[in-house]
Amino acid sequence: MTSSSVLRAAPRLARVPHRSFLSVFGSQAPEFLNGVLATSIREPRRPGFSTVLNAQGRVLYDIFLFAQKDDKGKPGYVLEFDSRPSEATPLLELLKRYVLRSKVKIRDVSEEYDLWAAWGQNQLHWETKRSWQWAQSGAVEPIWSPEGEWPWGTEDGVVRDRRAVGMGKRILVRKGDKPPESQDHDLVDSYTAHRLRLGVPEGQFDIPPTHAFPMDCNLDMMGGLDFRKGCYVGQELTVRTYHTGVLRKRIYPVLLQKEDDSSIPGSLPPGLSITSGGRRPIGKLLTSEDGRGLALLRMELVDAQTQFQVKDEAGGVWNVKPTRPDWWPTSPSDTSID
């Protein structure tokens, strides 16, 4: 399914699983977050998408920022991130290390909120054609018009998900509530399948904390990095790679099919090694569901139309076919794949 067909599809609504929430309030909340996150955070306080890196430039968290007001009507943020334990320092503990004398208050509000995603034809009115800027390294970033509307929206408790065309929006609601969209959207249990169709990595199984580099995980093209802002944790290596490095890997959406009978798997464990002809590992399978998945692969092998396989825990062999989402930017040097 292409991003354009997703946009034309009937409106759908799904709960997003495995998410935690932190509130960040205080007069210096934007300045504080701007020094920690890999995108620019400024007044006025607006929604967005960003990345938390460690000092070595590896990803710790991919996060969304919701604009929100406290009980007294004062503006602040709610950060949304993967709730599952990982090798990364818990985000609350990590942020508190950086507070020092900043006038901010951070607390865990995971028991106060649920998260939903809505997509389909009701999101057509704000989706716009993407413009891209390429670096010599192969990194690429979306360029948003400074005169246009803020790309991630301006509404409290809602983020327009611009990681990919067709992703829709994310909606923060009080625990146990459903968003207003439940009145006119089809309620489905397929958020993961939706993002896999559009090739969107998310969370610790797709972006392994302390191991993954941000551009390998497409965080540049999804709008989770700013290569022109001032100092933040992990900036030095990220910016140096952008200007002088060479990207050799990307996360690709893939189709999975049994080698001998054309059946498809329900899901395979993330982290399985991908090979070609049974030789040494040349990639890694990430999240998968119902014959679709994501995989970290070397771009030169994908461009050469290498035949990839993955072996499951029972010894079954599955063919792995990378695809290119239609929303991905295309450089003059790209080789098309089906």
Side-chain angles (χ1 to χ4, degrees), residues 308-323:
F308 298 105
Q309 297 87 33
V310 65
K311 183 180 291 187
D312 63 29
E313 295 172 316
V317 178
W318 302 86
N319 290 324
V320 179
K321 182 181 180 181
T323 63

Side-chain angles (χ1 to χ4, degrees), residues 6-286:
V6 170
L7 283 170
R8 293 193 300 269
R12 295 179 181 178
L13 180 72
R15 186 174 174 181
V16 183
H18 310 302
R19 310 308 285 175
S20 285
F21 309 96
L22 298 179
S23 67
V24 182
F25 282 80
S27 61
Q28 294 183 320
E31 297 95 320
F32 168 72
L33 290 173
N34 193 61
V36 177
L37 303 182
T39 56
S40 296
I41 309 297
R42 306 187 184 95
E43 296 280 9
R45 304 180 189 199
R46 301 179 292 191
F49 173 64
S50 194
T51 309
V52 180
L53 305 173
N54 64 15
Q56 292 72 43
R58 296 176 187 258
V59 180
L60 298 178
Y61 294 94
D62 54 309
I63 70 169
F64 282 90
L65 296 89
F66 290 83
Q68 198 78 329
K69 293 182 176 65
D70 65 14
D71 294 338
K72 298 180 180 179
K74 294 182 178 179
Y77 300 96
V78 172
L79 310 186
E80 172 230 319
F81 59 99
D82 193 332
S83 62
R84 292 167 290 191
S86 73
E87 293 182 32
T89 301
L91 186 57
L92 178 60
E93 177 184 340
L94 183 68
L95 293 181
K96 285 188 172 182
R97 290 179 186 175
Y98 298 126
V99 169
L100 301 178
R101 297 182 181 179
S102 298
K103 295 179 180 178
V104 297
K105 182 178 181 180
I106 308 169
R107 66 185 185 93
D108 188 339
V109 291
S110 300
E111 296 304 313
E112 298 180 22
Y113 293 104
D114 285 330
L115 183 70
W116 294 75
W119 66 91
Q121 60 189 11
N122 287 21
Q123 318 306 324
L124 275 171
H125 66 285
W126 54 261
E127 276 288 6
T128 56
K129 184 178 180 180
R130 306 294 167 96
S131 297
W132 304 95
Q133 180 162 324
W134 289 84
Q136 190 172 354
S137 61
V140 59
E141 54 190 318
I143 302 299
W144 312 107
S145 170
E147 290 80 30
E149 187 179 7
W150 180 245
W152 306 93
T154 56
E155 185 179 352
D156 283 1
V158 176
V159 179
R160 293 178 178 178
D161 191 347
R162 307 306 294 271
R163 292 177 299 173
V165 175
M167 276 301 294
K169 62 183 179 182
R170 299 168 88 82
I171 309 158
L172 195 65
V173 299
R174 289 292 174 178
K175 200 77 172 180
D177 290 349
K178 291 182 180 179
E181 286 79 2
S182 62
Q183 302 299 315
D184 58 5
H185 286 53
D186 295 334
L187 189 61
V188 296
D189 186 22
S190 59
Y191 170 74
T192 299
H194 170 58
R195 70 175 181 84
L196 293 181
R197 289 189 198 100
L198 294 174
V200 174
E202 178 179 293
Q204 64 162 295
F205 290 140
D206 297 335
I207 309 173
T210 76
H211 296 282
F213 287 105
M215 279 88 90
D216 290 357
C217 302
N218 307 344
L219 285 163
D220 52 342
M221 69 171 75
M222 294 194 300
L225 301 170
D226 185 338
F227 299 104
R228 293 161 188 80
K229 67 172 285 189
C231 182
Y232 60 90
V233 180
Q235 178 200 27
E236 183 178 354
L237 181 60
T238 302
V239 173
R240 186 166 69 241
T241 301
Y242 176 83
H243 288 292
T244 64
V246 178
L247 268 65
R248 304 189 186 280
K249 299 177 183 178
R250 284 283 189 189
I251 291 179
Y252 289 83
V254 296
L255 300 176
L256 301 165
Q257 193 173 63
K258 200 66 176 287
E259 191 170 48
D260 52 4
D261 63 7
S262 299
S263 61
I264 62 173
S267 65
L268 295 173
L272 294 177
S273 294
I274 293 174
T275 63
S276 181
R279 295 187 288 272
R280 64 179 179 83
I282 54 175
K284 186 167 289 188
L285 183 68
L286 307 172

